[in-house]
């Protein structure tokens, strides 16, 4: 694959602009329904659009890139943009619900959607207790997430995508999001039990929770639209699975060692919430009984201090856990590159 002057951020940025430009009139059109039915929440569609705009549009861009891999002459068609925009709305829907489940009040450097609704109620009813405001925000946040999901499907069904391809796209979306839902349930369940799952168990969950909808689904949507050869579908799936693991491990690392300004949410929140990541599974296998006792006094404890979190971060560094996972990410990256080399469209794709 001949690639010149390739800047991933510029590529994502240009595709994001096209996706958002496609979404804007669609979302404005939906506001008329809310004005007729329930004008108090007419801002929901703009709120969802703003939330979607706050992301990097990785998933929607991957739909366009996968289509371009097999159909370079018509990458930015209305149909391709409809699928890409649908993918971005699906991402927003999942994140809106995820913030409620994780009780994250900040997302992408701003208030989570459910917190925006909670604060709406606080302004409308200043005397309402915080718990009641949060419950209100969560309820409307769930509804907003559901609506965003329905709109994502509507984008596909109302497009001019040929009927056979349209059916394939909807089947893929339903199949992969079912897997995401089950993996999310698994993640929530694990956060509520004492046992820490094994490294392999967590990694498999990463594939189903992150890899399937972040990489596999966008790749396959683009492959359908680009009419990719059948043999490439399994290659794209393997590539997406490995990228999903790599992506999630790196996200876990940023959650531990990154900066809030970069990640868009408080660093250490995963430790406060008791998220059982591969870093947790690996470091626990290296700790003494006394260290494990201290670890579990901090892990999942919302009252734990920054110094407590620093102790866990120090253990991850000193036990070699961070280095081991860095090597694992290098292995995953090599596997991803090997998969890319097998794709049939790679030799014809050139990016100026």
């Amino acid at each position: 694959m001949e690639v010149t002057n390739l800047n991933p951020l510029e590529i994502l940025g240009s595709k994001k602009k096209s996706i958002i430009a496609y979404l804007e009139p669609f979302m404005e059109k939906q506001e008329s329904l809310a004005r007729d039915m329930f004008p108090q929440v007419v801002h929901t569609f703009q709120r969802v659009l703003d939330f979607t705009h706050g992301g990097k549009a990785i998933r929607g861009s991957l739909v366009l890139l996968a289509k371009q891999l097999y159909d370079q002459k018509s990458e930015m068609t209305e149909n391709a943009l409809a699928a890409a925009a649908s993918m971005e709305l699906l991402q927003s829907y999942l994140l809106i619900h995820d913030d409620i489940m994780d009780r994250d009040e900040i997302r992408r450097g701003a208030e989570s959607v459910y917190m925006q609704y909670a604060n709406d109620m606080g302004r409308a009813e200043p005397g309402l207790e915080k718990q009641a405001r949060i419950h209100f925000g969560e309820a409307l946040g769930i509804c907003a997430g559901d609506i965003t999901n329905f709109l994502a499907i509507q984008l596909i069904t109302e497009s001019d995508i040929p009927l056979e391809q349209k059916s394939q796209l909807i089947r893929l979306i339903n199949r992969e999001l079912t897997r995401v839902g089950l993996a999310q349930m698994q993640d929530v369940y694990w956060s509520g039990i004492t046992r820490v799952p094994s490294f392999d168990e967590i990694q498999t969950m990463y594939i189903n929770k992150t890899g399937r909808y972040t990489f596999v689904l966008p790749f396959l949507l683009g492959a359908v639209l680009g009419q990719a050869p059948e043999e490439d579908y399994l290659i794209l799936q393997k590539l997406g699975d490995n990228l999903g693991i790599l992506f999630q491990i790196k996200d876990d690392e940023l959650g531990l060692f990154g900066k809030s300004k970069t990640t868009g949410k408080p660093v250490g929140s995963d430790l406060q919430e008791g998220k059982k990541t591969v870093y947790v599974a690996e470091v626990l296998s290296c700790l003494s009984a006394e260290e494990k006792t201290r670890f579990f006094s901090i892990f999942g404890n919302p009252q734990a201090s920054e110094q407590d979190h620093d102790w866990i971060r120090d253990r991850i560094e000193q036990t070699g856990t961070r280095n081991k996972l860095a090597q694992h990410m290098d292995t995953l990256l090599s596997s991803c590159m090997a998969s890319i080399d097998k794709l049939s469209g790679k030799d014809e794709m050139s990016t100026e």
Side-chain angles (χ1 to χ4, degrees):
M1 176 168 57
E2 181 186 350
V3 179
T4 58
N5 300 323
L6 184 62
N7 184 322
L9 292 179
E10 288 181 4
I11 290 174
L12 290 177
S14 65
K15 292 186 185 331
K16 175 182 173 179
K17 287 179 182 177
S18 299
I19 293 167
I20 296 299
Y22 183 87
L23 264 179
E24 284 174 343
F26 174 78
M27 298 301 280
E28 287 174 7
K29 184 179 176 182
Q30 310 312 312
E31 288 185 1
S32 62
L33 177 64
R35 286 193 189 95
D36 294 338
M37 287 185 59
F38 189 22
Q40 287 85 350
V41 293
V42 71
H43 56 269
T44 290
F45 301 99
Q46 185 62 47
R47 185 164 281 176
V48 168
L49 182 62
D50 291 343
F51 183 75
T52 303
H53 194 284
K56 297 181 179 66
I58 292 172
R59 293 153 188 85
S61 297
L62 289 178
V63 174
L64 298 175
L65 285 168
K67 182 179 185 296
Q68 184 185 10
L69 185 65
Y70 300 102
D71 181 15
Q72 298 174 53
K73 295 180 181 179
S74 56
E75 177 208 356
M76 288 290 192
T77 62
E78 289 284 313
N79 289 343
L81 286 169
S86 175
M87 194 67 246
E88 283 305 304
L89 287 184
L90 291 171
Q91 158 75 346
S92 292
Y93 138 66
L94 290 169
L95 290 182
I96 290 168
H97 282 187
D98 192 59
D99 286 338
I100 295 170
M101 286 181 272
D102 290 346
R103 299 174 184 171
D104 282 338
E105 298 185 3
I106 301 295
R107 170 71 70 172
R108 294 170 172 168
E111 288 177 341
S112 301
V113 169
Y114 82 94
M115 282 303 299
Q116 294 177 39
Y117 285 111
N119 290 328
D120 287 346
M121 179 54 79
R123 287 184 287 269
E125 298 290 337
L128 202 62
E129 293 182 357
K130 181 178 179 180
Q131 186 175 355
R133 294 199 308 270
I134 295 294
H135 176 71
F136 172 88
E138 289 174 342
L140 285 196
I142 290 169
C143 293
D146 289 342
I147 290 168
T148 305
N149 181 24
F150 303 147
L151 291 177
I153 301 301
Q154 186 178 331
L155 274 168
I156 300 290
T157 58
E158 290 185 353
S159 72
D160 292 327
I161 296 171
L163 184 59
E164 184 177 347
Q165 286 187 348
K166 192 179 292 186
S167 297
Q168 282 183 278
L169 298 183
I170 293 174
R171 282 199 301 271
L172 284 168
I173 289 170
N174 290 340
R175 183 187 78 186
E176 297 306 330
L177 289 194
T178 298
R179 295 176 73 118
V180 173
L182 289 169
Q184 181 72 3
M185 292 173 75
Q186 186 177 37
D187 194 19
V188 172
Y189 175 78
W190 280 347
S191 70
I193 62 174
T194 304
R195 181 180 78 87
V196 175
S198 69
F199 185 99
D200 289 341
E201 285 177 312
I202 296 173
Q203 187 165 256
T204 299
M205 186 267 289
Y206 285 175
I207 290 174
N208 291 312
K209 182 183 173 184
T210 302
R212 303 300 298 199
Y213 92 94
T214 300
F215 297 102
V216 175
L217 181 55
F219 286 161
L220 295 184
L221 295 182
V224 168
L225 292 170
Q227 298 182 302
E230 194 67 32
E231 60 267 22
D232 274 19
Y233 282 73
L234 287 178
I235 300 172
L236 288 168
Q237 182 172 307
K238 181 179 179 181
L239 172 62
D241 286 348
N242 283 328
L243 281 171
I245 300 170
L246 182 58
F247 184 91
Q248 189 60 60
I249 293 176
K250 190 63 182 178
D251 189 63
D252 292 340
E253 183 184 36
L254 288 172
L256 286 164
F257 299 100
K259 296 180 180 179
S260 296
K261 187 176 180 180
T262 303
T263 63
K265 65 178 185 177
V267 174
S269 61
D270 287 354
L271 294 176
Q272 282 189 326
E273 294 161 13
K275 281 205 173 235
K276 289 165 182 172
T277 67
V278 289
Y279 284 89
V280 171
E282 184 61 31
V283 75
L284 281 173
S285 67
C286 305
L287 298 183
S288 66
E290 183 179 348
E291 287 174 322
K292 285 179 181 178
T293 299
R294 182 173 181 187
F295 181 94
F296 283 113
S297 73
I298 299 169
F299 187 63
N301 179 3
Q303 306 304 319
S305 67
E306 188 60 29
Q307 289 74 23
D308 289 329
H309 292 165
D310 284 341
W311 180 84
I312 289 181
R313 283 189 277 263
D314 181 70
R315 292 294 80 212
I316 289 172
E317 291 275 18
Q318 295 303 317
T319 58
T321 293
R322 189 177 185 184
N323 184 57
K324 181 176 180 179
L325 285 168
Q327 293 175 9
H328 184 51
M329 285 191 280
D330 286 342
T331 301
L332 288 167
L333 181 59
S334 296
S335 178
C336 290
M337 298 306 295
S339 293
I340 290 171
D341 283 340
K342 294 177 183 177
L343 292 171
S344 61
K346 69 177 180 67
D347 294 324
E348 300 174 10
M349 186 177 178
S350 177
T351 304
E352 298 298 335

